[in-house]
Amino acid sequence: MDNRVVITGLGITSSLGHSLDEVSSALAQGQSNIQLQEDNKQFGFQSLLQAMIPPQNKYKIERRKKRFLSESAIYTALCWLKTVDENNLDPQQFTGPDVGIILGNDSSAQPLEDLVATLQKYKETHFLGSTMVIKVMNSCCSMNLGPLIGAQGINITASANDASGAHALGYAFNLVKSGKQQAIITGGFQELHWIAMASFDALGIFAQSLEPKTACRPFDGERIGTVPGGGGALLVMENLERAQRLGHKIYGEVIGYGFNSGDKSVAQYERCMRKALHNAKIDPNDIDYINANASGIAADNLEAQAIYNVFGPQTFVSSTKSITGHELWMSGASEVLYSLLMMRDGFIAPSLNFQQNNDIPHINIVTETLQRKPRTVLSNTFGLGGTNACIIIREY
Amino acid sequence: MENLKQELKELIITATNLDDVTVEEIEDDMPLFVEGLGLDSIDALEIVVPLEKKYGVKFDDEKKAKQALFSVQTLADFIIAEGKNG
């Protein structure tokens, strides 16, 4: 009765690069692009660190379309162009009512800055023009992507702090699995604009260090905070039958989605992972790699304990946030994409800067790249506000 | 007049983000919309708002507005005839 759900297209814009091969190679080499963002000095940021997106000029968005796009919606449009191009997909197959869009995003700060500046200068709303309204909404990514590709099924944005992307994938999975949609374009998007980052900086959760390479230390005893990153990760989810009929390349199968919310605790994290395992109808020992949520903040210890409680000391664990920084709204989607690239190219990316931590039980943290293909992966996302989502993907 | 036309060309480029067009490429008599420069109704709104603010003209009369927005030349003529501070 349920449909099997597979991922048949990937598109990425991140600090690790603009193509799947570039990003996969940076992950395999543990090559981060974290730098000091000197511009943020003027706003009194406590941390200047940021994972920077390199410039690109291969993909261009036409001026008329760009007028409606915020920073994160530009990442969405670029990711779609890349997805079609890199996976040889026919855009015509993603039009009509059988195809939906569910994206994770939780801010659109850059247009808001323009909006306030314009109103303060001219004191009349009509100076905002007709394109501001769609740029300034949280749903700027999904609302723009719909007309861009012609998909006419569901069109919503999931906003759940840094679990936005993971929940977007979970919702997409459920709708394709239950047959309510044949395909869903899903993913997560994160602007790097300073307004989106300032309130996190205020909490002191970003690493206050002038050493970009060693600042982000997930699970480590000497960790000092995370580092913001961003861009976009787009994934095409389809029911297996449709994917086969259309001859699409299959990156992997989505088999489980677990979620919960509440206090940040070992018990909650554990429950969320078990719910995903139950949903996938598999046992803990079927998982051979965990892409951890850990980002270099205090709660990393809770996750380590929860992983130990469910999986014991053997299962490979790494946090790609040590390489990419914390991609916030995008992270739950990008980390599934990174795991699929590891599956495609046969390696497990390292968790950089982990040395030791006497406050956590022994879990199998991978500190050097492993030449070993992960076949069943759990991707954890434990959002800062206590909203959790675990996704399980399997080799097809 | 020449200065005004230069100003208008700059304003059009800035307001509509015509990154790949220079002032020299916009001819005085070139149609701004559809053919010629190829602007559309959304661009019109982006141009009209700063024009009203800067030159004190009003584009409320649809027929007049359409004539005025035909080219840089017609726009300059319109501003000289009806503008408060042009």
Side-chain angles (χ1 to χ4, degrees):
Chain A
M1 199 166 75
D2 282 346
N3 296 284
R4 289 177 73 178
V5 182
V6 290
I7 293 175
T8 55
L10 304 175
I12 182 81
T13 294
S14 88
S15 61
L16 303 189
H18 292 278
S19 72
L20 299 175
D21 288 347
E22 243 173 56
V23 169
S24 183
S25 143
L27 284 169
Q29 291 165 33
Q31 190 85 50
S32 79
N33 191 26
I34 295 170
Q35 298 177 31
L36 293 172
Q37 171 57 276
E38 300 286 344
D39 292 352
N40 286 352
K41 262 188 191 163
Q42 60 183 311
F43 304 110
F45 272 62
Q46 304 178 75
S47 168
L48 297 180
L49 294 163
Q50 193 172 79
M52 304 282 195
I53 300 172
Q56 68 91 33
N57 50 25
K58 184 175 175 192
Y59 298 96
K60 286 200 169 59
I61 303 165
E62 199 235 325
R63 181 190 69 89
R64 275 168 215 270
K65 287 181 178 140
K66 214 172 176 177
R67 294 179 300 192
F68 299 93
L69 307 181
S70 57
E71 181 189 343
S72 42
I74 287 174
Y75 298 147
T76 314
L78 284 175
C79 282
W80 174 249
L81 295 176
K82 294 170 182 181
T83 301
V84 168
D85 183 32
E86 288 198 77
N87 304 282
N88 297 313
L89 292 174
D90 175 3
Q92 277 305 317
Q93 293 170 347
F94 296 91
T95 58
D98 291 337
V99 181
I101 293 173
I102 305 182
L103 304 177
N105 183 47
D106 210 349
S107 68
S108 194
Q110 165 251 316
L112 195 61
E113 187 192 22
D114 296 344
L115 182 150
V116 174
T118 305
L119 285 186
Q120 279 174 342
K121 189 173 173 194
Y122 297 114
K123 316 278 186 202
E124 283 172 52
T125 55
H126 73 265
F127 277 80
L128 299 174
S130 59
T131 61
M132 180 59 81
V133 65
I134 198 170
K135 285 195 277 197
V136 80
M137 297 186 292
N138 259 22
S139 56
C140 55
C141 301
S142 55
M143 289 302 292
N144 272 296
L145 190 60
L148 191 72
I149 70 180
Q152 294 172 337
I154 191 167
N155 187 316
I156 57 167
T157 288
S159 291
N161 198 345
D162 40 339
S164 301
H167 282 305
L169 264 61
Y171 271 64
F173 167 58
N174 280 345
L175 287 183
V176 177
K177 187 180 169 186
S178 63
K180 293 195 168 66
Q181 294 274 248
Q182 291 290 300
I184 293 188
I185 316 297
T186 183
F189 298 88
Q190 175 65 51
E191 60 183 342
L192 280 170
H193 193 276
W194 65 271
I195 297 180
M197 299 299 179
S199 50
F200 284 105
D201 187 78
L203 297 177
I205 67 157
F206 293 145
Q208 292 168 35
S209 160
L210 297 175
E211 300 293 334
K213 293 269 175 250
T214 56
C216 192
R217 318 177 64 81
F219 292 123
D220 189 50
E222 304 283 305
R223 66 197 184 281
I224 50 170
T226 192
V227 170
L234 195 139
L235 300 92
V236 176
M237 265 189 209
E238 288 181 285
N239 97 32
L240 176 63
E241 215 173 87
R242 173 186 142 109
Q244 285 174 328
R245 177 166 39 90
L246 297 174
H248 292 164
K249 173 186 163 65
I250 294 174
Y251 285 91
E253 180 174 6
V254 188
I255 57 171
Y257 169 41
F259 53 85
N260 65 357
S261 63
D263 59 321
K264 292 167 81 73
S265 65
V266 173
Q268 289 283 24
Y269 292 0
E270 207 182 309
R271 204 170 294 139
C272 193
M273 291 188 283
R274 289 195 195 277
K275 278 183 78 172
L277 290 167
H278 179 76
N279 184 241
K281 300 187 179 72
I282 59 170
D283 296 323
N285 57 15
D286 291 323
I287 300 284
D288 53 13
Y289 167 59
I290 300 168
N291 186 292
N293 175 68
S295 65
I297 64 171
D300 293 8
N301 280 5
L302 305 177
E303 185 181 15
Q305 183 68 54
I307 287 173
Y308 181 82
N309 292 354
V310 180
F311 298 93
Q314 299 292 337
T315 312
F316 294 119
V317 178
S318 73
S319 168
T320 43
K321 291 191 180 79
S322 64
I323 311 171
T324 62
H326 197 327
E327 295 173 327
L328 297 165
W329 330 146
M330 157 191 174
S331 62
S334 57
E335 288 165 18
V336 168
L337 185 149
Y338 300 147
S339 300
L340 287 164
L341 289 178
M342 294 182 216
M343 214 178 260
R344 182 191 77 168
D345 296 341
F347 69 95
I348 291 177
S351 214
L352 304 180
N353 300 317
F354 175 76
Q355 286 169 337
Q356 65 164 42
N357 183 347
N358 296 326
D359 299 325
I360 59 172
H362 176 77
I363 54 171
N364 196 0
I365 297 173
V366 176
T367 55
E368 302 275 339
T369 308
L370 269 183
Q371 297 305 324
R372 184 192 162 114
K373 176 189 211 159
R375 296 182 189 278
T376 309
V377 177
L378 168 68
S379 179
N380 280 345
T381 301
F382 302 131
L384 285 165
T387 170
N388 308 320
C390 294
I391 305 272
I392 299 175
I393 50 172
R394 186 168 59 192
E395 183 183 25
Y396 174 76
Chain B
M1 185 61 143
E2 288 309 308
N3 282 349
L4 175 61
K5 285 192 282 192
Q6 179 82 6
E7 251 178 44
L8 289 172
K9 289 172 188 176
E10 284 167 11
L11 184 146
I12 290 165
I13 290 173
T14 315
T16 60
N17 293 314
L18 279 171
D19 302 333
D20 50 353
V21 176
T22 62
V23 167
E24 291 72 36
E25 284 168 338
I26 305 179
E27 292 159 30
D28 293 353
D29 295 321
M30 181 192 269
L32 297 177
F33 293 89
V34 193
E35 80 267 43
L37 203 53
L39 302 179
D40 64 15
S41 60
I42 291 159
D43 294 317
L45 201 64
E46 302 293 330
I47 298 171
V48 161
V49 169
L51 283 174
E52 288 186 351
K53 197 76 184 178
K54 192 164 182 182
Y55 301 106
V57 286
K58 283 281 169 206
F59 291 88
D60 298 343
D61 181 331
E62 205 181 315
K63 200 178 160 211
K64 263 188 174 177
K66 210 171 172 187
Q67 285 171 351
L69 289 165
F70 179 76
S71 69
V72 168
Q73 185 64 55
T74 57
L75 204 48
D77 293 340
F78 175 71
I79 287 168
I80 287 168
E82 306 215 357
K84 292 191 186 82
N85 39 7

